[in-house]
Each structure stands twice: as C-alpha cells, then as structure tokens.
Amino acid sequence: MKCPLCGYEFTEPDKTQCSGCGKLHSCNMQRCPNCGYEIVPETKLIKKLRGLFKWK
C-alpha cells in the first residue's frame, strides 16, 4: 500500500486505534506508519478493477 499523502510504501498498516471520528473499535481506516494519515481501504470491486486494468 502507498500513502497518498507522503508516498511511503508499506505492507502492514498501523493497527493503533484511530482518533477523531468518534466511532469505537469499528473503524476500517488504515493509518500510514510514517505520517499517521488515515486511508480508507479499497473495496473488493476496486481491487478487482485494478487487477483487470493494471492501474497503479
């Protein structure tokens, strides 16, 4: 995965609890271990389309 904010590439997102939105323990956001930016995970459909068309 590549962070859209800082460009850092990582395989395992930071598993720490996110702060700020108010949801408790059910947030699917992924956090960049380098800058802390919270990223919305891609849906299965987007992943399939990326694989079909080989988008970056």
Side-chain angles (χ1 to χ4, degrees), residues 4 8 11-12 14 18 22 24-25 27 29-30 32 35 37 39:
Y8 181 72
T11 55
E12 190 68 30
D14 189 0
C18 64
L24 299 175
H25 309 294
C27 182
M29 300 286 278
Q30 297 175 341
C32 172
C35 68
Y37 181 72
I39 307 160

Side-chain angles (χ1 to χ4, degrees), residues 44-55:
K44 289 179 185 178
L45 176 63
I46 298 296
K47 286 180 184 178
K48 276 189 175 184
L49 288 174
R50 251 187 229 284
L52 273 173
F53 297 106
K54 298 179 183 173
W55 292 340

Side-chain angles (χ1 to χ4, degrees), residues 1-16 29-39:
M1 172 172 256
K2 186 174 182 179
C3 177
L5 185 65
C6 69
Y8 181 72
E9 291 192 32
F10 57 96
T11 55
E12 190 68 30
D14 189 0
K15 299 283 186 184
T16 59
M29 300 286 278
Q30 297 175 341
R31 187 184 300 252
C32 172
N34 187 47
C35 68
Y37 181 72
E38 291 180 344
I39 307 160

